[in-house]
Amino acid sequence: MAIASTFERQSSSWEAKVRLMPNRSANPARRNIALRQLSQFTAPEPNAAIIQILTNALVDPSWATRASAARALAVWVDPNAVPPLLQALSDSEFSVRWAVIDALAQLKTPRSIEPLTVLLADKSCAQKAEQALIALGPSAEDATLAALAKQTGDDRFAAIRVLKAIGTEKSLPALAAISSNPTDGLTTLQAQHAIEAITLRKQINASLKPQP
């Protein structure tokens, strides 16, 4: 009974907050607070109307509203939220881009992998993109390798760290080519560390396989 009562109170609360979203005449601060709180709920089954309200907020004039909408969409999991979130990766405000990247990391959709790898060379978002790709796991390896091949100098750091965390034998040739370049000491060191991590991971995985 207590659990049901708690859910009913929570449901009533988020419904009230969703009703506030389309009303642009409402106090902007109240709308932003409502959006932030929506991102903290355990969402019930999403519906098209709610997702549309939240995706519309991704293009709100207020950057704070756009960022809060992205965070809420990470909670109200729905495939229809992915295309608007991907478009929002080009938002002019880095705070919004960070929130969008975090949302895509939580949604774990393969469609976000390639756009996230592009951001590995964007110093304002590289760390967030790196974290998101690592969260997506080995499925991000191919796209990260493709991004690494297009990068030069220290733009490669984030991609190398992603491969260090999720890479397999497939990544070793590209990393070996970087590590053999004596003219870029720091990048060479990063690549060597990635090779060591991948090699160790391979050995550990092999030791865990049942012996015939």
Side-chain angles (χ1 to χ4, degrees), residues 29-145:
R30 287 186 62 203
R31 293 179 72 239
N32 289 339
I33 290 170
L35 273 169
R36 283 198 299 272
Q37 291 176 338
L38 278 171
S39 71
Q40 297 165 4
F41 281 123
T42 300
E45 286 294 319
N47 61 57
I50 293 173
I51 298 303
Q52 187 63 57
I53 289 168
L54 294 175
T55 54
N56 286 347
L58 287 173
V59 293
D60 192 271
S62 164
W63 69 264
T65 296
R66 300 195 302 273
S68 296
R71 296 186 191 101
L73 283 166
V75 175
W76 295 76
V77 179
D78 188 290
N80 294 319
V82 174
L85 283 168
L86 292 176
Q87 290 182 347
L89 282 173
S90 60
D91 195 281
S92 59
E93 289 287 337
F94 74 88
S95 296
V96 178
R97 297 197 299 275
W98 286 6
V100 171
I101 292 169
D102 286 344
L104 291 170
Q106 291 184 59
L107 292 171
K108 295 186 184 299
T109 171
R111 285 182 288 176
S112 68
I113 292 173
E114 188 172 352
L116 287 170
T117 62
V118 174
L119 296 179
L120 291 172
D122 179 347
K123 287 183 170 53
S124 70
C125 295
Q127 185 176 6
K128 284 285 188 182
E130 174 187 334
Q131 293 167 351
L133 289 164
I134 290 172
L136 284 159
S139 62
E141 183 178 20
D142 287 345
T144 304
L145 277 169

Side-chain angles (χ1 to χ4, degrees), residues 183-202:
T183 62
D184 191 347
L186 190 52
T187 308
T188 295
L189 187 61
Q190 293 257 5
Q192 289 171 348
H193 288 167
I195 290 169
E196 291 167 4
I198 292 170
T199 303
L200 178 60
R201 188 158 56 245
K202 177 187 173 185

Side-chain angles (χ1 to χ4, degrees), residues 144-175:
T144 304
L145 277 169
L148 180 63
K150 300 174 185 176
Q151 297 167 352
T152 58
D154 60 6
D155 284 349
R156 296 175 289 183
F157 286 177
I160 291 172
R161 287 193 295 267
V162 172
L163 295 174
K164 179 181 178 181
I166 68 167
T168 65
E169 280 185 282
K170 188 187 302 184
S171 296
L172 293 177
L175 292 168

